[in-house]
Amino acid sequence: MTDSIGSTRRDFLKTSAVAAGVALSANVVASRMAYAAGSDELKIGLVGAGGRGSGATAQALNTSNAVSLVAVADAFEDKAKSAVDRFKKDRPGQIAATAATTFSGFDAYKKVLDQKLDMVILATPPGFRPMHFEAAVQAGKNIFMEKPVGSDAPGIRRLLAANEEAKKKNLKVGVGLQRHHQQKYIDTIKKIHDGEIGDIVLLRVYWNGTRPWVRKRTEGMTEMEFQMRNWYYFTWLCGDHICEQHIHNLDVANWVMKGPPVEAQGAGGRQLPFGSDQGEIFDHHMLEYTYASGAKMLSMCRHQPGCWNAVSEYAHGTKGTADISGGRITFNDGRPEWKYQAAPGEGGKKGRGGDPDPYQVEHDTLAAAIRNNTPYNEGDYGASSSMTAILGRMATYSGQVVKYSDALERGEELMPRDYKWDGATPVKPGADGLYACAMPGKTQVLAAKKA
């Protein structure tokens, strides 16, 4: 970090000592441990070198003052090495990662966490997030983790417990739900919270698009490698697309309602032709969530080309309607429409809608919190929004009304016990090479209640 930042840190420690009149508090000691890199440069590590991991790393390297990437891990050696090569080409002078600090394999994350880091980026398939987050907290690292933060309820419980430890250690935790850092969303939702549209009676949220990338099986792949490379299509790794993508819209609804829903019911399935490359996930989900106030949320996500596409969120109240994603509010009493206007003269790369790119802003904000040692933890809402998506999947897979509390307490465990390339996967193809998907009315998603 720069001299001014170093001074800020020293001032903070001095002030804390004077105020306490005794030795440094436990939190401050923990914070000092988080700065074990011991230089003015923010040193980061990456766990998960795919597309989003690479994007998050680029954004972290774009933050102000000196930042360097010192270590990279991925389950696959080719992905870890190619990411480092690409970073060195694109970011000369910012890449300190070497062959000695580029790791692969299921335990590669441990080797990154062994390095002197100020922050680690966790961007593997979501099923691994709770395990990696817990290890990063134990290692005393500040963390940026991509959403969703888990693929099943046991994982979310594990992450929530680790996040409590992160708070005790004063670690900074960012979650890749970037709408929280986009001014259009911030201003529109503030107006909703200020009562501009009255009491919320209905929300509508959508992520309707087309099927994303598919990785083909190649000769010599083990079943574990195939599923890991094609992770989007396996629920234990991805959580289904309701978790991987629709979480953004569900998170906005929870932000408006200041907490997760209490229950959900819905329908879903697979209608498009599919092969073994499409794994086991549904291609559509349609849900009715209920919040504690009685307000309902209609939620829809699908991967079906040729249909109505939308990625958007709306809130309907007793006094008006908010197009949250559009930054507009209309009023039932005939008042003129309110429309969000991006502030003129904002610098930096623009995101959609004219605001500074929220993907960059979330990293700028987290880096500033690390450098200035200010409170920063997005882990709880990241977990509850992830669990909201998991709840929706449980409702559509089972065809039942599922309560949030039951889902979190008794939701099924999806992850395998062991991680080996020749190890057993949680799901296996049938004799026809296809994977069975959930069957509403038959699929069980809750463990039995304890006696």
Side-chain angles (χ1 to χ4, degrees):
M1 291 182 286
T2 65
D3 289 340
S4 61
I5 291 167
S7 297
T8 299
R9 188 184 307 163
R10 287 191 292 274
D11 292 345
F12 170 77
L13 294 172
K14 180 180 178 182
T15 302
S16 298
V18 171
V22 292
L24 298 173
S25 71
N27 278 351
V28 173
V29 172
S31 178
R32 293 284 294 177
M33 293 172 65
Y35 289 98
S39 80
D40 290 343
E41 187 173 74
L42 200 65
K43 298 180 188 300
I44 64 174
L46 169 64
V47 176
R52 192 74 279 276
S54 297
T57 300
Q59 284 135 10
L61 292 171
N62 278 341
T63 60
S64 60
N65 300 308
V67 187
S68 65
L69 177 69
V70 301
V72 173
D74 195 277
F76 298 106
E77 183 179 12
D78 59 314
K79 291 182 68 175
K81 287 183 175 179
S82 64
V84 173
D85 291 343
R86 187 171 59 253
F87 287 136
K88 285 183 175 178
K89 180 180 178 182
D90 295 341
R91 301 277 176 171
Q94 284 189 287
I95 309 304
T98 65
T101 59
T102 301
F103 309 105
S104 60
F106 283 110
D107 64 349
Y109 71 98
K110 297 178 181 176
K111 298 170 184 174
V112 165
L113 295 176
D114 285 341
Q115 309 302 309
K116 291 183 177 180
L117 306 174
D118 296 301
M119 184 182 80
V120 63
I121 295 170
L122 304 179
T124 60
F128 294 104
R129 198 85 70 245
M131 177 171 64
H132 292 172
F133 180 76
E134 182 182 72
V137 171
Q138 290 173 352
K141 310 300 185 188
N142 299 300
I143 298 159
F144 176 83
M145 58 180 162
E146 270 302 334
K147 57 73 207 166
V149 301
S151 63
D152 62 9
I156 298 299
R157 296 199 301 270
R158 185 176 183 177
L159 188 134
L160 284 168
N163 197 44
E164 292 305 307
E165 292 302 310
K167 295 173 187 174
K168 293 176 184 176
K169 291 185 173 183
N170 195 25
L171 300 175
K172 319 308 176 191
V173 176
V175 178
L177 291 165
Q178 76 281 353
R179 284 164 171 76
H180 286 266
H181 300 274
Q182 187 168 356
Q183 201 60 45
K184 176 174 63 178
Y185 279 89
I186 294 169
D187 286 6
T188 305
I189 291 177
K190 182 179 186 305
K191 285 190 169 291
I192 295 172
H193 287 168
D194 287 345
E196 291 277 353
I197 64 170
D199 296 332
I200 304 299
V201 295
L202 175 68
L203 298 113
R204 295 180 292 121
V205 296
Y206 307 97
W207 192 296
N208 293 335
T210 57
R211 191 175 281 169
W213 52 264
V214 172
R215 308 277 187 253
K216 298 293 184 182
R217 188 190 296 271
T218 60
E219 187 175 355
M221 272 186 179
T222 65
E223 183 61 29
M224 180 66 81
E225 180 179 356
F226 171 67
Q227 293 191 18
M228 286 284 290
R229 288 198 183 271
N230 209 23
W231 61 268
Y232 192 95
Y233 295 93
F234 294 93
T235 305
W236 66 280
L237 287 162
C238 163
D240 205 316
H241 65 98
I242 189 173
C243 294
E244 174 59 18
Q245 292 177 311
H246 195 35
I247 181 177
H248 283 296
N249 318 110
L250 298 170
D251 172 65
V252 169
N254 287 354
W255 183 5
V256 169
M257 299 306 292
K258 301 181 179 179
V262 296
E263 67 179 33
Q265 67 86 21
R270 305 176 67 144
Q271 292 181 314
L272 295 177
F274 62 91
S276 62
D277 295 336
Q278 279 77 49
E280 58 176 331
I281 66 172
F282 282 2
D283 61 20
H284 66 282
H285 302 259
M286 177 73 198
L287 284 134
E288 175 190 287
Y289 287 90
T290 303
Y291 286 87
S293 67
K296 301 288 186 179
M297 172 172 63
L298 299 183
S299 136
M300 179 192 293
C301 57
R302 69 180 170 210
H303 287 164
Q304 295 174 333
C307 300
W308 173 64
N309 289 341
V311 178
S312 53
E313 307 92 9
Y314 305 87
H316 301 263
T318 53
K319 297 180 181 178
T321 297
D323 172 357
I324 305 169
S325 46
R328 295 172 179 267
I329 292 179
T330 55
F331 301 99
N332 296 345
D333 61 5
R335 279 182 288 163
E337 176 188 78
W338 173 83
K339 182 178 180 182
Y340 170 76
Q341 296 290 337
E346 289 281 357
K349 181 181 177 183
K350 301 292 186 182
R352 282 174 289 186
D355 281 329
D357 183 357
Y359 291 94
Q360 185 59 54
V361 175
E362 66 183 353
H363 280 277
D364 293 342
T365 308
L366 174 57
I370 293 171
R371 291 180 180 280
N372 298 316
N373 194 28
T374 52
Y376 197 94
N377 190 301
E378 299 178 337
D380 286 343
Y381 77 70
S384 64
S385 291
S386 298
M387 191 63 220
T388 300
I390 293 169
L391 169 68
R393 184 194 72 218
M394 294 170 71
T396 57
Y397 277 17
S398 67
Q400 304 297 325
V401 177
V402 183
K403 295 187 179 300
Y404 185 97
S405 56
D406 288 341
L408 182 58
E409 180 183 351
R410 298 192 285 123
E412 61 185 342
E413 183 171 7
L414 302 181
M415 300 301 288
R417 297 291 182 187
D418 300 307
Y419 299 97
K420 299 184 294 186
W421 291 119
D422 60 353
T425 52
V427 294
K428 298 178 177 61
D432 57 1
L434 301 179
Y435 298 86
C437 65
M439 184 61 66
K442 295 183 178 180
T443 296
Q444 300 294 316
V445 296
L446 293 174
K449 290 183 178 179
K450 294 180 180 178

